[in-house]
């Protein structure tokens, strides 16, 4: 009887724990945008910038994380050269072709920085 009672006491806590969401998961709007964009050229999955790091003076080292791979400005990502890393974008060059990856793409209804200043 005591075992049954203790199980009944612990059951609500277990159910509540099953409903917790991952706080590091991207917002649903970004996930929807990623699935809508689907695939890049030639059926390949679209590349995504996950993080951009820009160091302080004097060297201003620039790093980006693309699909889990950390790259430096001037370094290589697959067959592309990382031409430029800015606060929100990474520019990749493959021969004469340039591709710009955006860290925070604009989504419908998203907030924009630098809006109403009061």
């Amino acid at each position: 009887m005591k075992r049954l009672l203790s199980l009944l006491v612990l059951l609500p806590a277990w159910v509540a724990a099953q409903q917790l969401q991952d706080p590091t998961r991207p917002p649903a709007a970004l996930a929807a945008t990623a699935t809508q964009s689907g695939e890049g050229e030639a059926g390949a999955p679209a590349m995504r910038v996950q993080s951009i790091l820009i160091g302080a003076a004097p060297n201003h080292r620039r790093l980006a994380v693309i699909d889990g791979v950390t790259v430096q400005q001037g370094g290589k990502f697959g067959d592309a050269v990382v031409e430029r890393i800015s606060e929100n974008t990474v520019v990749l060059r493959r021969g004469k072709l340039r591709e710009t990856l955006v860290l925070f793409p604009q989504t419908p209804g998203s907030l924009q920085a630098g809006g109403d200043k009061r």
Side-chain angles (χ1 to χ4, degrees), residues 94-118:
R94 287 184 182 87
K96 293 181 180 181
L97 299 175
R98 283 190 174 81
E99 181 176 3
T100 301
L101 305 177
V102 181
L103 179 60
F104 296 114
Q106 292 295 321
T107 57
S110 66
L111 297 175
Q112 296 197 9
D116 186 50
K117 294 182 183 179
R118 294 181 189 196

Side-chain angles (χ1 to χ4, degrees), residues 2-24:
K2 281 187 176 184
R3 286 185 182 172
L4 180 61
L5 184 59
S6 62
L7 285 174
L8 290 175
V9 169
L10 294 176
L11 184 62
W14 180 77
V15 170
Q18 297 300 313
Q19 297 173 356
L20 295 177
Q21 294 182 8
D22 181 4
T24 62

